[in-house]
Amino acid sequence: MLTSYDLLVGLALLHERNKHQKAAISGWGGVLAQVANKKVLVERDCLKEIVSSEKVTRVIDHRRWLVGLMSYEGAIIPLVELRMLMNEENPTLGLKDRSVVVISQQNGNIGLLVDKVIGSCDYWSDDTELSDIRVSEKGFDKVSFSYKKEKIEVFDIEELAATIGIRREVVNATA
């Protein structure tokens, strides 16, 4: 017969094993979108909403990636053409039948113009279909991997914000 001490030790060991397993299994989840011939995953923690591109006001600007402005939650946000920033072919497809993924980052919201939204997806590092995990040193993908022989890029929102000049660097002033 087990004593109460044995039960407590067993529970503690089970808790430690579960904690270790949770730490070992990681993953990425969010909205999977098509941008030209790439599949891009926008993680859930920065995702605000997916809207149609019908309510966009076009702008003419020297920054070719800025295709328009749109109203979102009472604020005007920039609409970024991901094809242009990712150096993909035919960056000016227009707005018809495309989607806007609204993301939140440190200094506000940004609209990302994507070709289409594929759906909500979760990818776990212990999945046997997932392979070739790479942490990116440059570009807008912080991680890329293959899933069922398709390359998926996990979008780096902070890198995007820095590239288009939305993220402001905080400068420490010393007296």
Side-chain angles (χ1 to χ4, degrees):
M1 175 142 194
L2 294 174
T3 67
S4 57
Y5 176 76
D6 293 332
L7 290 174
L8 285 175
V9 169
L11 283 173
L13 289 172
L14 184 61
H15 176 72
E16 283 300 311
R17 189 186 89 204
N18 287 342
K19 189 167 72 171
H20 177 69
Q21 282 180 338
K22 285 180 185 175
I25 299 173
S26 62
W28 306 271
V31 170
L32 189 63
Q34 183 83 36
V35 178
N37 61 353
K38 293 185 179 182
K39 295 218 177 0
V40 177
L41 184 72
V42 179
E43 293 180 289
R44 277 190 194 95
D45 60 347
C46 64
L47 183 66
K48 296 288 281 184
E49 191 172 355
I50 299 168
V51 296
S52 73
S53 58
E54 294 172 1
K55 297 181 181 180
V56 173
T57 301
R58 287 259 202 201
V59 296
I60 298 173
D61 193 277
H62 70 281
R63 298 166 292 189
R64 293 184 44 199
W65 50 262
L66 179 63
V67 293
L69 300 171
M70 60 185 289
S71 176
Y72 181 75
E73 293 183 346
I76 303 298
I77 65 171
L79 180 61
V80 174
E81 172 62 84
L82 283 184
R83 281 178 166 255
M84 179 66 70
L85 285 178
M86 297 172 77
N87 297 318
E88 291 298 319
E89 76 282 347
N90 195 6
T92 54
L93 283 180
L95 299 174
K96 188 178 180 187
D97 299 325
R98 294 178 76 194
S99 296
V100 177
V101 177
V102 180
I103 57 167
S104 174
Q105 56 88 40
Q106 185 177 353
N107 290 313
N109 296 324
I110 304 170
L112 304 176
L113 189 60
V114 299
D115 297 351
K116 70 177 179 177
V117 173
I118 298 168
S120 178
C121 296
D122 292 296
Y123 301 98
W124 300 101
S125 60
D126 67 336
D127 191 331
T128 57
E129 297 284 342
L130 193 134
S131 63
D132 198 27
I133 300 172
R134 296 174 191 236
V135 176
S136 181
E137 299 284 324
K138 58 182 177 154
F140 297 116
D141 58 327
K142 59 183 171 183
V143 175
S144 66
F145 52 84
S146 293
Y147 185 75
K148 296 184 179 179
K149 299 182 182 177
E150 277 193 314
K151 184 176 179 185
I152 309 292
E153 298 179 10
V154 180
F155 206 73
D156 189 342
I157 302 307
E158 292 302 317
E159 182 64 30
L160 169 75
T163 300
I164 64 176
I166 290 179
R167 185 178 73 194
R168 296 172 192 91
E169 297 297 327
V170 178
V171 179
N172 291 331
T174 56

